[in-house]
PDB file of all heavy atoms in Angstrom:
ATOM      1  N   SER A 632     189.325  74.896 205.109  1.00 87.00           N
ATOM      2  CA  SER A 632     188.111  75.329 204.430  1.00 87.00           C
ATOM      3  C   SER A 632     188.179  74.818 203.007  1.00 87.00           C
ATOM      4  O   SER A 632     189.100  74.076 202.644  1.00 87.00           O
ATOM      5  CB  SER A 632     187.993  76.855 204.456  1.00 87.00           C
ATOM      6  OG  SER A 632     189.020  77.450 203.665  1.00 87.00           O
ATOM      7  N   ASP A 633     187.214  75.249 202.196  1.00 82.00           N
ATOM      8  CA  ASP A 633     187.241  74.843 200.794  1.00 82.00           C
ATOM      9  C   ASP A 633     188.421  75.452 200.045  1.00 82.00           C
ATOM     10  O   ASP A 633     188.786  74.982 198.969  1.00 82.00           O
ATOM     11  CB  ASP A 633     185.938  75.249 200.099  1.00 82.00           C
ATOM     12  CG  ASP A 633     184.755  74.439 200.606  1.00 82.00           C
ATOM     13  OD1 ASP A 633     184.970  73.276 200.994  1.00 82.00           O
ATOM     14  OD2 ASP A 633     183.627  74.981 200.633  1.00 82.00           O
ATOM     15  N   GLN A 634     189.015  76.506 200.613  1.00 85.00           N
ATOM     16  CA  GLN A 634     190.068  77.218 199.898  1.00 85.00           C
ATOM     17  C   GLN A 634     191.434  77.143 200.566  1.00 85.00           C
ATOM     18  O   GLN A 634     192.416  77.610 199.991  1.00 85.00           O
ATOM     19  CB  GLN A 634     189.686  78.697 199.745  1.00 85.00           C
ATOM     20  CG  GLN A 634     188.392  78.925 198.990  1.00 85.00           C
ATOM     21  CD  GLN A 634     188.141  80.396 198.729  1.00 85.00           C
ATOM     22  OE1 GLN A 634     188.888  81.052 197.999  1.00 85.00           O
ATOM     23  NE2 GLN A 634     187.097  80.936 199.338  1.00 85.00           N
ATOM     24  N   SER A 635     191.511  76.577 201.763  1.00 92.00           N
ATOM     25  CA  SER A 635     192.778  76.551 202.494  1.00 92.00           C
ATOM     26  C   SER A 635     193.021  75.166 203.066  1.00 92.00           C
ATOM     27  O   SER A 635     192.101  74.516 203.575  1.00 92.00           O
ATOM     28  CB  SER A 635     192.767  77.587 203.617  1.00 92.00           C
ATOM     29  OG  SER A 635     192.576  78.888 203.105  1.00 92.00           O
ATOM     30  N   ASP A 636     194.282  74.719 202.982  1.00 95.00           N
ATOM     31  CA  ASP A 636     194.648  73.413 203.513  1.00 95.00           C
ATOM     32  C   ASP A 636     196.122  73.367 203.814  1.00 95.00           C
ATOM     33  O   ASP A 636     196.889  74.259 203.437  1.00 95.00           O
ATOM     34  CB  ASP A 636     194.263  72.302 202.524  1.00 95.00           C
ATOM     35  CG  ASP A 636     194.918  72.475 201.159  1.00 95.00           C
ATOM     36  OD1 ASP A 636     196.156  72.559 201.090  1.00 95.00           O
ATOM     37  OD2 ASP A 636     194.187  72.544 200.155  1.00 95.00           O
ATOM     38  N   ILE A 637     196.529  72.312 204.488  1.00 97.00           N
ATOM     39  CA  ILE A 637     197.937  72.052 204.784  1.00 97.00           C
ATOM     40  C   ILE A 637     198.154  70.548 204.683  1.00 97.00           C
ATOM     41  O   ILE A 637     197.248  69.756 204.983  1.00 97.00           O
ATOM     42  CB  ILE A 637     198.340  72.588 206.175  1.00 97.00           C
ATOM     43  CG1 ILE A 637     199.860  72.509 206.349  1.00 97.00           C
ATOM     44  CG2 ILE A 637     197.617  71.834 207.284  1.00 97.00           C
ATOM     45  CD1 ILE A 637     200.355  73.232 207.587  1.00 97.00           C
ATOM     46  N   ALA A 638     199.341  70.134 204.237  1.00 97.00           N
ATOM     47  CA  ALA A 638     199.594  68.710 204.025  1.00 97.00           C
ATOM     48  C   ALA A 638     201.041  68.376 204.340  1.00 97.00           C
ATOM     49  O   ALA A 638     201.951  69.192 204.135  1.00 97.00           O
ATOM     50  CB  ALA A 638     199.265  68.310 202.584  1.00 97.00           C
ATOM     51  N   LEU A 639     201.234  67.171 204.857  1.00 98.00           N
ATOM     52  CA  LEU A 639     202.567  66.604 205.072  1.00 98.00           C
ATOM     53  C   LEU A 639     202.739  65.484 204.054  1.00 98.00           C
ATOM     54  O   LEU A 639     201.923  64.572 203.976  1.00 98.00           O
ATOM     55  CB  LEU A 639     202.707  66.065 206.487  1.00 98.00           C
ATOM     56  CG  LEU A 639     204.019  65.326 206.790  1.00 98.00           C
ATOM     57  CD1 LEU A 639     205.207  66.283 206.714  1.00 98.00           C
ATOM     58  CD2 LEU A 639     203.956  64.646 208.164  1.00 98.00           C
ATOM     59  N   GLN A 640     203.846  65.552 203.289  1.00 97.00           N
ATOM     60  CA  GLN A 640     204.067  64.608 202.199  1.00 97.00           C
ATOM     61  C   GLN A 640     205.403  63.915 202.389  1.00 97.00           C
ATOM     62  O   GLN A 640     206.435  64.563 202.606  1.00 97.00           O
ATOM     63  CB  GLN A 640     204.046  65.351 200.866  1.00 97.00           C
ATOM     64  CG  GLN A 640     203.805  64.508 199.654  1.00 97.00           C
ATOM     65  CD  GLN A 640     203.562  65.382 198.431  1.00 97.00           C
ATOM     66  OE1 GLN A 640     204.482  65.985 197.887  1.00 97.00           O
ATOM     67  NE2 GLN A 640     202.319  65.452 198.005  1.00 97.00           N
ATOM     68  N   VAL A 641     205.392  62.591 202.314  1.00 98.00           N
ATOM     69  CA  VAL A 641     206.599  61.787 202.472  1.00 98.00           C
ATOM     70  C   VAL A 641     206.671  60.817 201.301  1.00 98.00           C
ATOM     71  O   VAL A 641     205.670  60.190 200.930  1.00 98.00           O
ATOM     72  CB  VAL A 641     206.581  61.001 203.798  1.00 98.00           C
ATOM     73  CG1 VAL A 641     207.856  60.185 203.941  1.00 98.00           C
ATOM     74  CG2 VAL A 641     206.408  61.943 204.983  1.00 98.00           C
TER      75      VAL A 641
END
Side-chain angles (χ1 to χ4, degrees):
S632 67
D633 291 330
Q634 301 187 65
S635 300
D636 58 56
I637 189 170
L639 174 65
Q640 199 170 74
V641 181

